[in-house]
Amino acid sequence: MDELTDKDLARGYWFITHRERIRYSIISVIGIFLLGVIVYAGWQFMDWLASRTAEEESLRLLVSSSVDVEEYRQRNTPLPLELGKVMAVPAALGKYDFIVQVKNPNLKWAARQADYSFNIAGQSFNGRSFVLPLEDKFFLKLGVNLDKLPAGSTITINNINWQRIRDFKNFTTPDFAVSGEKIEQVGGETDPAKAGTRLTFTLTNQSPYSFWQVPVTAVLTNNSHVTAVSQQVLTSLDSSQAISMEFYWPEQTFLVNRLVVKPEVNILDPQAIKPLR
């Protein structure tokens, strides 16, 4: 066994006399370390809590202010069809034709089906049509039997089946040309009171597609007042086909300074377009 030196005895004596201080120092260091850990953990927790609160507030503001559901709904809801004044036009003895101009102000909405009613002299006359995006057309009720010209006739839209159109260029767009228009008075050689009016023109389908069921509306006006209206339905109109058409109003003559010929094809209906050969 090795003998203890004076240095060993001195170190042992110093350790015995300073033992409490050494223990206190170790406890203090450990306490300071643990306190630092606690403070750091608390700081991290408070930072996380503040970040979470800020995130929840941001989400709340985003939902409440940035996403305006009502504004979004209004921007993505079609505007109503614009209706003109209903006009009554004498057609024959005891008969009247009714016409109203209709416009769709929407670029990305089509009225795939529109049910309407003419309200005439206490009676309702129903009809159904379509209105393509930005289309300007006519709703008609022809040959209504009445004793006299009614006053205050109106039209109501009962139901519209809207269809969202993302890109109207993807649809088949008809291209019709009207040429050789001629309006003339015919008959009445022996009795001028029985003279009638005849309209003739050539309708050409310039589009590359052929169509079934093409209504053609002819409207004659004088100083913005409708003097005559009629409609024929072509059962078929092929691509590049030209058809001679004739409209006749017996025992009626009138001044005309403007003619509107409006062929219509519901390109939203696949059955209206003939398959390509």
Side-chain angles (χ1 to χ4, degrees), residues 85-92 94-102 116-121 123-129 137-146 149-150 153-156 217-219 226 228-232 249 264:
K85 181 181 178 181
V86 176
M87 297 186 185
V89 184
K95 289 184 179 292
Y96 293 86
D97 298 329
F98 291 84
I99 179 173
V100 63
Q101 191 169 15
V102 182
Y116 58 88
S117 294
F118 279 98
N119 308 305
I120 304 167
Q123 303 180 67
S124 294
F125 299 89
N126 300 325
R128 175 175 291 175
S129 189
K137 62 182 297 182
F138 302 102
F139 286 173
L140 306 174
K141 181 59 184 178
L142 304 179
V144 178
N145 294 307
L146 294 170
L149 182 66
S153 301
T154 61
I155 187 173
T156 56
T217 303
V219 180
V226 177
V229 58
S230 188
Q231 185 181 79
Q232 298 180 21
W249 293 269
E264 301 175 18

Side-chain angles (χ1 to χ4, degrees), residues 18 52 65 136 160 205 227 269:
H18 293 79
R52 180 180 176 84
S65 61
D136 197 333
I160 297 180
N205 179 10
T227 56
D269 182 5

Side-chain angles (χ1 to χ4, degrees), residues 35-109:
L35 180 61
V37 171
I38 293 173
V39 170
Y40 178 77
W43 175 73
Q44 290 292 329
F45 174 76
M46 293 302 294
D47 182 66
W48 173 82
L49 186 62
S51 299
R52 180 180 176 84
T53 303
E55 182 180 358
E56 291 178 349
E57 180 67 14
S58 298
L59 290 174
R60 185 186 68 79
L61 292 175
L62 180 65
V63 172
S64 63
S65 61
S66 297
V67 182
D68 192 328
V69 177
E70 180 63 20
E71 180 185 356
Y72 177 83
R73 185 189 67 80
Q74 291 179 359
R75 284 192 289 108
N76 290 272
T77 299
L79 297 173
L81 297 177
E82 298 176 358
L83 302 176
K85 181 181 178 181
V86 176
M87 297 186 185
V89 184
L93 184 61
K95 289 184 179 292
Y96 293 86
D97 298 329
F98 291 84
I99 179 173
V100 63
Q101 191 169 15
V102 182
K103 183 176 180 180
N104 180 4
N106 301 284
L107 175 63
K108 294 188 176 182
W109 289 94

Side-chain angles (χ1 to χ4, degrees), residues 212-238:
W212 300 109
Q213 299 295 315
V214 181
V216 182
T217 303
V219 180
L220 280 60
T221 66
N222 184 46
N223 296 327
S224 301
H225 178 73
V226 177
T227 56
V229 58
S230 188
Q231 185 181 79
Q232 298 180 21
V233 179
L234 301 177
T235 57
S236 173
L237 186 58
D238 293 333

